[in-house]
Amino acid sequence: MKASISHIFLFNGDQVRNLKFEEGLNIITGDSKTGKSAVIEIIDYCLFASRSTIPKGIITDWTEFYCIVLKIMEKFLVIARKKNSNSMYFVVEIDPKVLENFSLEYFSDKSLMDLNDAKKEFEKHLGISVLDTRTDIEEDKRTSGGKVTMRSFAPFIFQHQNLIANKHSLFYRFDDFYKRKKTIDDYSILMGWENAEYFDLRRELEEKQKELSRNKKIAEKLKINSEQLRTDLYNSLSIYYTFLGKNLDSEISLSDLKKLSKDLPKANANSVADQNLPLLLGKIDHEITEKKKELINVENLIDTIKDNNSLSKNYGSNIKRLKAMASIPQVVEEIHCPLCEQEVKEIKEKINIVQESNQMLVNEFEKIGVYVNDTSEESGTLRKQRDQLKKEIKSLSIKAEEINNQITLEFNSREDYEKGLLLKGRTEATAATLIERSQLLAADKNDFTELIEYIEELKSKLSGYNLKEKLQKAEVLLSEKMSEICNQLDFEDEFKPGKIWFDLEKFALKYTIDERENILLSEMGSGSNWLAIHLSAFLGFLYLHSVTESSRIPSILILDQPSQVYFPKVYGKLEEEEANDNNKKDDNILQVKNIFKVLSHEITTIESECGFKPQIIVLEHADEEEFSQFIKYRWSKEGSKLI
């Protein structure tokens, strides 16, 4: 995702420290204890870290207010945080002029937000809005799934001084089991391969599969032998037939018994009890009508959410199209009459007005960006309401049909009806119970078929995400890029030729030699090897996150002291060493120079493929002519420094 850190501001009343960065390679070089390493902690603190890890001392004593400005596409996201506070400012700007002469006064009319609220709003502007990653609604949010957080991409951005050549760990925050698991779980979402709709479909599929499994188990449990059912039904119905003075064929089939149990012979007409049945039927019909109205409203809401989600997926491209349509080509500075060749200032003034209006429209388009919101929870609630209403309507319809059948029955005499009423009712109820026990769900094949078809429809929708295929392609691309970069760095010959492979499901890195032996990072045995693996891995991720259009991970990498593997050997004595050693260059210095050469080359490669430069910020002791063009600040104990 195209992104960069534009500014860092530190405030102490009217005093301000301002660091300005650009896309591409940015280097801050200088002595120890000048504030270089604190830069990475300040950025982390402003990116919604739960607590401050800014080194205690001069910087924390001086600074009252920390602020960073991120440029995401064409928007500027201003994030400011007080010292030792969870109160934040979060503001979206389009005009870069607001950053000129930037001071605390800027926040005077802005509202403070809670850290979590500010983080949620920031995530929406990145296009990250998934509130629930559970695949089973019955799982506990605290231990499984839960909200996706932008903090999960922090391990891909920061390489601290104690980590950049660590032989035991690659990633920042991975010493915490929960944070490690959260980063791995959230990665597919941060890459744009999964979204809120995906997890909503997963939960619904799990729910429907459980429903189907429960129904099948109940059906199997309650199913009885067909012959036993025929015997039980015959015994129950024959008692009623005997009461009526009729014979029931002893050879009657099970199928006919089932039909007969639903339409027993008539008893007696003009029953007093039947006088209330039409009124009851009317009430039930009215209730069915109201339930159907509710169902229509719920289904309309579900369709509306689906339509809105569909529109939101495509709004980014639509905004680009509208922006292109709104753009006005630059005109010449002067406009002349074609007849007399006199300058026509009135037309030029009108064109300027139109251009200003047009620019305002373009700015409004830019403010929209990739803002997204998760509606899966609302969709899940509405689906439950829909299913419950369908069940209630079906139950009421069955009840109405039974009453209607009773009303239409003709009875022979009041006396026979009064005598047979209780027995007839009991016989019907007994027969219905027996049949229901026999085939509670299997008897209604349409319900099973509808549920199975819906499950297949959900599976089809999920297959459209092609998650496994995307993951495999990314692994291949990432591993090839890591291996390519590693071959350019200082990697021991005994491990060559080899290949890095990174497993994106387990977040495990292995190094293979001729595809015969897997070597772990801790087994490589040299600081230069560990550094090469770290740089290769994180430049590989930077490449992957930049070339993947759907990625929501900012194309930013911050490295702290990559040269430390080659020094504390005294730095800056290249000319003296050349004179003393017959112009032989110090290999350590050459390797440091090569690091910056590789960094610059990868930035150029990404720019050629993506059309933008990723941002790499390096905090370093080294300062050589070959990479002086990338040095933004030179700090020293006696001269300028962070504070």
Side-chain angles (χ1 to χ4, degrees):
M1 182 181 195
K2 182 181 179 181
S4 60
I5 296 170
S6 171
H7 292 77
I8 297 176
F9 295 101
L10 306 183
F11 296 103
N12 181 354
D14 294 334
Q15 299 181 74
V16 60
R17 295 289 189 272
N18 175 16
L19 302 181
K20 189 176 185 303
F21 300 99
E22 300 173 353
E23 295 179 350
L25 184 56
N26 299 256
I27 302 173
I28 299 178
T29 184
D31 299 334
S32 297
K33 299 181 181 180
T34 55
K36 298 191 305 300
S37 294
V39 170
I40 198 170
E41 309 297 350
I42 291 168
I43 295 170
D44 194 24
Y45 181 61
C46 289
L47 286 178
F48 313 100
S50 58
R51 63 184 183 86
S52 171
T53 54
I54 302 169
K56 301 291 184 181
I58 296 175
I59 296 171
T60 54
D61 291 342
W62 187 88
T63 309
E64 297 175 357
F65 214 78
Y66 301 93
C67 175
I68 65 171
V69 181
L70 267 76
K71 186 179 181 184
I72 306 291
M73 307 301 285
E74 301 304 321
K75 295 185 293 188
F76 293 89
L77 307 183
V78 181
I79 309 168
R81 187 173 180 181
K82 291 183 178 180
K83 178 170 61 177
N84 300 324
S85 172
N86 283 338
S87 295
M88 309 277 294
Y89 287 106
F90 177 74
V91 188
V92 180
E93 297 285 358
I94 294 297
D95 188 357
K97 291 181 179 179
V98 299
L99 302 176
E100 297 176 3
N101 301 316
F102 197 71
S103 68
L104 273 178
E105 183 66 24
Y106 171 83
F107 299 100
S108 61
D109 60 346
K110 307 296 188 298
S111 299
L112 275 169
M113 304 173 68
D114 177 74
L115 181 143
N116 287 327
D117 292 336
K119 179 155 68 74
K120 288 178 184 177
E121 198 62 22
F122 173 76
E123 288 166 343
K124 290 178 181 179
H125 282 277
L126 287 182
I128 303 169
S129 183
V130 180
L131 302 179
D132 191 354
T133 58
R134 290 176 298 170
T135 56
D136 185 345
I137 197 66
E138 296 177 1
E139 293 178 346
D140 191 338
K141 261 189 178 183
R142 294 171 297 179
T143 57
S144 178
K147 178 185 176 300
V148 174
T149 170
M150 52 71 57
R151 290 297 300 172
S152 291
F153 65 58
F156 303 104
I157 292 179
F158 301 121
Q159 276 282 282
H160 293 75
Q161 185 174 352
N162 64 343
L163 185 65
I164 197 165
N166 193 302
K167 71 175 183 177
H168 298 295
S169 180
L170 270 176
F171 295 98
Y172 165 54
R173 305 199 323 160
F174 269 35
D175 54 336
D176 183 311
F177 172 80
Y178 173 77
K179 291 177 179 178
R180 179 184 187 277
K181 183 178 183 301
K182 187 64 176 165
T183 293
I184 297 172
D185 291 345
D186 288 354
Y187 187 70
S188 293
I189 304 160
L190 297 176
M191 288 297 286
W193 299 332
E194 299 171 341
N195 53 23
E197 181 186 27
Y198 171 83
F199 288 98
D200 194 27
L201 289 170
R202 287 282 303 273
R203 288 190 292 271
E204 189 175 8
L205 175 62
E206 182 71 19
E207 181 183 343
K208 294 302 179 184
Q209 286 177 328
K210 285 183 177 180
E211 182 182 342
L212 179 62
S213 178
R214 284 195 302 267
N215 291 346
K216 285 183 176 180
K217 287 180 180 178
I218 293 172
E220 188 64 31
K221 184 177 180 181
L222 297 180
K223 191 182 295 181
I224 62 176
N225 182 274
S226 296
E227 185 57 36
Q228 182 64 46
L229 174 62
R230 199 201 75 82
T231 301
D232 291 345
L233 273 177
Y234 180 82
N235 290 338
S236 178
L237 269 61
S238 64
I239 294 173
Y240 181 65
Y241 266 69
T242 300
F243 171 81
L244 295 178
K246 297 182 179 183
N247 292 322
L248 184 62
D249 185 3
S250 61
E251 301 298 324
I252 187 171
S253 68
L254 175 59
S255 176
D256 289 339
L257 279 171
K258 288 180 180 179
K259 293 178 182 177
L260 193 60
S261 69
K262 296 179 181 179
D263 189 17
L264 291 174
K266 305 162 187 177
N268 189 26
N270 303 319
S271 167
V272 175
D274 269 353
Q275 302 293 329
N276 294 323
L277 289 179
L279 180 61
L280 179 59
L281 180 62
K283 290 181 179 179
I284 293 175
D285 285 339
H286 176 72
E287 192 172 351
I288 290 174
T289 301
E290 294 301 313
K291 294 287 184 185
K292 286 183 176 179
K293 288 180 181 178
E294 279 188 67
L295 179 61
I296 291 171
N297 288 335
V298 170
E299 288 179 334
N300 285 340
L301 285 172
I302 291 173
D303 290 339
T304 299
I305 289 177
K306 286 182 179 178
D307 291 342
N308 288 342
N309 287 341
S310 177
L311 286 172
S312 68
K313 289 178 183 177
N314 299 319
Y315 88 98
S317 59
N318 291 335
I319 289 298
K320 290 180 182 178
R321 180 175 58 83
L322 290 171
K323 181 181 174 183
M325 292 171 60
S327 63
I328 298 177
Q330 294 293 324
V331 298
V332 294
E333 295 183 359
E334 296 182 355
I335 297 176
H336 299 269
C337 173
L339 298 177
C340 64
E341 295 187 355
Q342 291 283 334
E343 182 180 357
V344 186
K345 295 184 178 179
E346 293 82 0
I347 295 178
K348 180 181 176 182
E349 290 173 357
K350 290 181 179 180
I351 289 175
N352 288 337
I353 293 172
V354 172
Q355 284 184 318
E356 289 177 4
S357 175
N358 173 259
Q359 187 58 46
M360 291 175 64
L361 178 61
V362 171
N363 288 343
E364 290 301 314
F365 286 152
E366 296 293 358
K367 289 180 181 178
I368 298 175
V370 291
Y371 192 89
V372 296
N373 198 18
D374 182 359
T375 58
S376 60
E377 189 172 343
E378 292 86 347
S379 297
T381 301
L382 288 170
R383 283 199 305 273
K384 286 184 178 179
Q385 292 179 11
R386 177 196 65 191
D387 294 345
Q388 182 61 31
L389 285 168
K390 285 183 177 180
K391 289 178 182 178
E392 292 174 0
I393 291 170
K394 184 177 181 180
S395 177
L396 288 169
S397 298
I398 293 172
K399 189 174 182 181
E401 185 178 358
E402 290 173 352
I403 294 173
N404 192 57
N405 288 338
Q406 281 185 270
I407 293 173
T408 57
L409 286 174
E410 296 178 4
F411 301 100
N412 293 321
S413 69
R414 179 190 303 271
E415 182 181 358
D416 287 342
Y417 171 77
E418 298 296 340
K419 292 178 180 178
L421 177 61
L422 182 59
L423 182 58
K424 181 175 182 289
R426 285 178 177 175
T427 303
E428 289 174 337
T430 301
T433 301
L434 288 169
I435 294 171
E436 183 180 13
R437 285 183 57 207
S438 160
Q439 294 177 332
L440 184 65
L441 294 175
D444 191 356
K445 293 182 180 179
N446 289 332
D447 283 353
F448 255 53
T449 302
E450 182 180 349
L451 186 55
I452 291 171
E453 287 177 350
Y454 191 55
I455 287 172
E456 292 304 314
E457 181 183 339
L458 291 173
K459 288 181 178 179
S460 177
K461 289 180 180 179
L462 283 168
S463 67
Y465 281 86
N466 295 323
L467 181 59
K468 189 173 183 179
E469 180 182 344
K470 290 174 182 176
L471 202 62
Q472 289 174 343
K473 286 183 178 179
E475 279 186 354
V476 172
L477 183 63
L478 179 61
S479 299
E480 288 180 350
K481 174 54 72 170
M482 287 181 177
S483 300
E484 174 192 323
I485 295 170
C486 191
N487 287 330
Q488 302 173 46
L489 294 167
D490 184 21
F491 205 66
E492 293 183 5
D493 291 338
E494 63 183 286
F495 294 115
K496 296 180 180 179
K499 183 175 181 180
I500 299 175
W501 182 262
F502 195 91
D503 186 333
L504 283 174
E505 291 189 74
K506 299 178 181 178
F507 266 57
L509 180 146
K510 63 182 180 181
Y511 187 84
T512 61
I513 300 176
D514 295 332
E515 300 182 357
R516 290 182 289 102
E517 182 182 6
N518 292 335
I519 303 174
L520 300 178
L521 178 63
S522 59
E523 298 173 331
M524 294 180 183
S526 168
S528 62
N529 291 338
W530 302 329
L531 174 65
I533 292 294
H534 276 259
L535 291 175
S536 301
F538 283 88
L539 287 173
F541 275 113
L542 184 66
Y543 174 81
L544 180 63
H545 301 158
S546 298
V547 300
T548 304
E549 291 186 6
S550 60
S551 172
R552 297 294 175 239
I553 302 176
S555 51
I556 298 171
L557 177 60
I558 306 174
L559 307 173
D560 191 5
Q561 306 292 348
S563 69
Q564 64 180 288
V565 168
Y566 302 101
F567 302 96
K569 189 169 186 177
V570 179
Y571 190 82
K573 295 185 178 180
L574 181 57
E575 293 181 1
E576 180 182 338
E577 288 181 5
E578 285 179 341
N580 295 337
D581 299 317
N582 298 318
N583 296 323
K584 291 181 179 178
K585 293 184 177 180
D586 185 282
D587 183 60
N588 285 350
I589 296 177
L590 290 177
Q591 295 303 338
V592 171
K593 291 180 179 179
N594 186 56
I595 288 172
F596 289 95
K597 179 181 177 183
V598 171
L599 295 178
S600 179
H601 174 73
E602 289 307 313
I603 289 171
T604 303
T605 299
I606 293 172
E607 182 183 21
S608 65
E609 293 190 32
C610 304
F612 68 87
K613 291 181 180 180
Q615 184 181 60
I616 300 178
I617 298 174
V618 185
L619 312 170
E620 250 307 342
H621 287 297
D623 186 348
E624 283 296 327
E625 180 65 30
E626 284 83 349
F627 48 82
S628 61
Q629 59 178 311
F630 304 115
I631 295 177
K632 302 300 177 186
Y633 300 97
R634 285 184 171 91
W635 292 343
S636 64
K637 293 179 181 179
E638 294 77 19
S640 62
K641 47 190 171 183
L642 182 59
I643 299 297

